[in-house]
Amino acid sequence: MKKLLVLLAALATMALILSACSESSAEGGEDAAKEVNLLFNFATNSLDPHVDTSYVPLRAGIAETLVYLNDETLEIEPWLAESWSSEDGQNWTFKLREDVTFQNGKPMDGEAVKASLERAMTDNIAIKNALRIESIAVEGPELTITTTMPFPEFPSELVHPNTSIIDVSETDFINKPIGTGPFAVASFTPGTAVDLVRFEGYWDGAAKLEKARFSFNEDANARSLALESKGADIVFRPEVETVEQLEAIDGVTVESTSTFRVHQMTMNLQRESLKDVHVRQAIDALIDRDMIAETILSGHAEVATGPFPSSFSFAPDYPEKKRGIDEARKLLEQAGYTEQDGVMQKDGEPLTWTLLTYSARADLPLIAQVFQSDAGQLGIEVVIEQIEIPEEHMAANRDWDLTTYSNLTAPRGDAGYYLNATYHPDGALNFSGADDNKLTAMIDELNQVVGQEQRSDIAEEIASYVDEQMYNSFVLHPNTLVAYNSDKVKNWTTTRSEYYMLTNELDVE
Amino acid sequence: MIRIITRRLAEVAVFLLLITFVSFLFARMAPGDPVLSILRVDDLSVSAEQVEQLREDMGFNEPLLVQYGEWLVDFARLDFGNSYISNQPVMDMLWSGVPATLELTLGGLFVMVLVALPLGSLAALYRGSWIDQVSRGLSLLGAAVPSFWLGLILIDLLGVRLGWLPTMGRDGLHSAVLPSITLGLAISSVYVRLLRSSLIDSLNQENIRAARARGISEPRIFFSHVLRASLPPVITVFGVSLGSLIGGVVVIEVIFAYPGIGKMVVDAIRSRDYPMIQGYIFVMAILVFVINSIVDLSYRYLNPELRLKGKGRV
């Protein structure tokens, strides 16, 4: 029996040793090359820039688009295209840079760009829908693009990563797309990482890094731990709860940057109580934004005054509003409601709202609960209902009053996308059921106007009108968190669009 | 043998038809369709009309049975379609993830055997002693701890503090160590208890006492008689719990960024990517069937009585 015991003990020890020692050479070689490992929060199984929904080829500096969204001015700038113009908003001329080659040495010329855009539209129905291109004609370095209808925000749509320009005469789009960016694909492990090498012939000056790794992990805790273990140098969206812990580490910097996203309270304008603007204003007044930003998002958010972050040229200066429970009560009184026996009511009917929320964005159900509790203090019963896919549910069911919803409002620096989708009667995200002739006419006008400045003016007017009518109420713009090893990584910029990550400027010490 | 194989094949055909039908119905009866995901309404301008048009084009307005019929026709031609989201052939995507998932499953099983065999054996051999208590305590603890938490603890300990092992990705065997340990520890608690009780049963059998009386050494009795006799029930349970084992790999895959099919299907379900979901169910059904058959065969091998009778399914 003793022998047996010894044998089993030996077996167990061996198991432990085996599992612990099977690899000790994983580290090392780190300082040999100038290299950075960026850990991102969405995995991808394909590097095809035209369909990949994680936008890795653009983010990893493999491919580039015709136009670039400047993060500071929030304006559209030349990138692979040198300039563009249109008189009628339907016929567009794009002049391409002439000194750009793909990573395989072939020139990025008019024909290549045309072929690339055409492939993007064939393989990606969403892009085909968004670009509305009817024809593309090539003459030297000039591209003449005709859209199916006047489409003034066309250049801004070309910021979209799925319109990246690649050499489509190469065929392994999934594993090795050939773009014009500062980094070429060395190897790709779907779902895990893409390894990159410097493209010496990059038109804007070869990258400072020799190599880079763009890896994925969808678990926020695991990402934070990866930075701690120095397995990653730059980590996107670490767990909010670990931020303090990360900041306490020597040499780790955490950046909190506002985004183009807004958390909003979508109102169903077809519901009786919400037809009254005073009631909608009361809802707006009830939302304690500062408290929500501080407690639910630990301060990593910008309080929203409208759909667009205040730095956009088309975000108006909204008139100062009174907020709080007393203000809400006053507004409800104007709408004919009175509080009796602790119940807010009108003509003997108590005021109740059904509030939809969903867990895909963890902060939204919490915002719903805060609102429920605040409304409760006014004698309004708020019934919270959890739904799964908000877009589906809101479109198919109309028996709800409010929804906590999150939306990108100007992903490509133009207000057209959000205003059309959300407030035009024909918009796919018009869950409020907004059908206001004045508003529709203003959006239609926006859709005719070419030129960023003029468009901004009209968009600003529309935003002001939406605020006046309080068609939706805007809560906050959540921040993006990026933590990185600032002892090692140099020239890192957290862009608000989150489109541009690995650049030729990025460096290590 | 040929008869058994033919019968198995017929079984698997019926089984596949049934499971694909049920999964098809469940997937499509759930609210939502992939049109909004395909059109990326979250960041691209789309009109309600375009949404409806695509819905029509993709046949989502057809009756469910018609949709299933169309799917079945494609399926019969071994055409599983392309993912709605990535536009890649579903089977290519899934097969590229199968090795990683199998690797983790096998790695987890390996760790499970390394842990459960000694712990279960010691507990049975020293029944009632402190060894037994400790082993039972450990297995109870193992059952109570969620695997994602265990995974994060292991990452923190072995990856961050000690820096021994890579904490994510799939770069060769060493990166499979941590996820395998996590999975192995998570599932071993069940088997420690099972093995213990099965061993105790075997140890009490007449033939063991007889062997002892004949003076055969203890290790030999244990390894060639007791252990062998106590394995069939363990393997039976293993066969039954295999599906949940592979399902459990999903959590591990996410934490360790291990690119298996579990992670893929989670994304697919989120975006209602029907071809991916159907493909996954098909691949899983085949995997479970194959591994079950292996379990079955090993069961026959361990239990000669069944081999002779020619009926082995459990």
Side-chain angles (χ1 to χ4, degrees), chain A residues 259-424:
Chain A
T259 54
F260 301 152
R261 180 172 284 286
V262 74
H263 285 358
Q264 67 181 47
M265 190 70 91
T266 295
M267 310 203 193
N268 183 351
L269 303 171
Q270 289 155 347
R271 299 287 271 188
E272 206 48 50
S273 68
L274 297 181
K275 283 180 181 164
D276 190 321
V277 67
H278 294 109
V279 176
R280 302 199 293 267
Q281 284 166 339
I283 290 170
D284 186 64
L286 261 180
I287 299 172
D288 191 346
R289 293 165 175 79
D290 291 312
M291 198 270 267
I292 290 171
E294 247 354 278
T295 56
I296 297 177
L297 284 105
S298 313
H300 298 292
E302 185 192 326
V303 165
T305 45
F308 309 114
S310 51
S311 45
F312 274 109
S313 58
F314 42 79
D317 289 324
Y318 296 100
E320 191 69 31
K321 289 188 193 68
K322 282 193 196 148
R323 305 223 197 254
I325 288 186
D326 292 334
E327 179 63 18
R329 185 180 286 116
K330 232 183 270 171
L331 286 160
L332 286 172
E333 276 164 10
Q334 284 179 43
Y337 290 87
T338 46
E339 199 178 335
Q340 279 171 21
D341 310 324
V343 179
M344 187 61 74
Q345 49 192 293
K346 184 178 178 179
D347 307 329
E349 283 287 311
L351 184 56
T352 57
W353 289 320
T354 303
L355 171 58
L356 307 180
T357 190
Y358 53 99
S359 55
R361 295 194 175 272
D363 8 340
L364 295 181
L366 300 174
I367 294 176
Q369 282 170 25
V370 170
F371 182 79
Q372 181 185 44
S373 137
D374 288 345
Q377 290 185 38
L378 260 185
I380 303 167
E381 192 194 353
V382 174
V383 183
I384 295 181
E385 224 177 85
Q386 279 272 354
I387 54 172
E388 202 187 340
I389 303 173
E391 293 84 6
E392 285 284 346
H393 191 100
M394 287 192 280
N397 306 282
R398 301 305 290 168
D399 56 351
W400 52 273
D401 299 280
L402 304 164
T403 308
T404 56
Y405 187 56
S406 185
N407 209 180
L408 273 174
T409 48
R412 290 170 295 284
D414 191 276
Y417 154 69
Y418 175 78
L419 296 177
N420 271 290
T422 313
Y423 297 111
H424 201 282

Side-chain angles (χ1 to χ4, degrees), chain A residues 23 46 129 162 412 417 426, chain B residues 40 42-43 48 50 88 174:
Chain A
E23 185 49 48
S46 156
N129 261 328
N162 286 152
R412 290 170 295 284
Y417 154 69
D426 189 32
Chain B
R40 315 261 179 87
D42 193 35
D43 78 340
Q50 285 167 321
Q88 285 180 60
H174 61 278

Side-chain angles (χ1 to χ4, degrees), chain B residues 5 21 48 64 69 94 97 134 157 205 212 224 228 231 271 294:
Chain B
I5 293 174
F21 180 65
L64 269 183
L94 286 172
V134 169
L157 188 71
Q205 304 245 316
R212 233 175 239 148
S224 40
R228 184 163 168 171
L231 281 183
S271 52
I294 296 171

Side-chain angles (χ1 to χ4, degrees), chain A residues 1-5 7-8 11-12 15 18-20 22-24 26-27 39 43 45-46 50-53 55 122-127 129-130 132 153 157 160 162 174 189-192 213 216-219 221-223 225-226 228-229 261 361 388-389 391-392 405-408 411-412 416-417 420-421 426-429 499, chain B residues 30-36 38-51 54-55 57 85-89 93 96 110 114-115 117-118 121-122 125-126 131 152 155-156 159-161 163-171 173-175 177 181 212 218-219 222-223 254-259 263-264 267 269-270 272:
Chain A
M1 207 55 166
K2 254 187 192 159
K3 270 188 201 164
L4 184 65
L5 190 66
L7 195 82
L8 286 172
L11 209 75
L18 257 178
S19 56
S22 64
E23 185 49 48
S24 48
E27 308 292 318
L39 183 55
N45 289 305
S46 156
H50 294 155
V51 288
D52 167 32
T53 46
Y55 308 150
T122 316
D123 281 38
N124 185 336
I125 185 160
I127 284 297
N129 261 328
R132 306 179 208 174
E153 72 245 51
E157 295 297 319
H160 198 281
N162 286 152
I174 291 169
T189 320
T192 300
R213 177 165 244 248
F216 323 113
N217 192 323
E218 283 156 343
D219 189 89
N221 265 311
R223 285 198 299 277
L225 288 170
E228 278 188 56
S229 70
R261 180 172 284 286
R361 295 194 175 272
E388 202 187 340
I389 303 173
E391 293 84 6
E392 285 284 346
Y405 187 56
S406 185
N407 209 180
L408 273 174
R412 290 170 295 284
Y417 154 69
N420 271 290
D426 189 32
L429 302 180
Y499 285 158
Chain B
D33 63 38
V35 168
L36 295 172
I38 295 171
L39 289 176
R40 315 261 179 87
V41 286
D42 193 35
D43 78 340
L44 283 172
S45 204
V46 179
S47 69
E49 200 183 319
Q50 285 167 321
V51 172
L54 186 62
R55 194 165 281 153
D57 291 349
I85 307 301
S86 75
N87 211 12
Q88 285 180 60
M93 283 176 76
S96 73
F110 180 68
L114 286 186
V115 173
L117 204 60
S121 307
L122 286 175
L125 288 172
Y126 298 97
I131 300 178
L152 289 172
I155 290 179
D156 190 37
V160 178
R161 283 171 214 279
W164 285 353
L165 289 162
T167 55
M168 62 180 66
R170 180 172 175 245
D171 292 320
L173 211 60
H174 61 278
S175 53
V177 176
I181 294 178
R212 233 175 239 148
E218 281 294 333
F222 184 78
F223 283 107
V254 170
I255 294 179
F256 290 93
Y258 215 79
K263 235 156 64 84
M264 277 183 216
D267 291 340
I269 290 171
R270 227 179 267 152
R272 297 277 185 272

Side-chain angles (χ1 to χ4, degrees), chain B residues 83 158 204 229 297:
Chain B
S83 154
L158 297 175
N204 289 338
L297 288 176

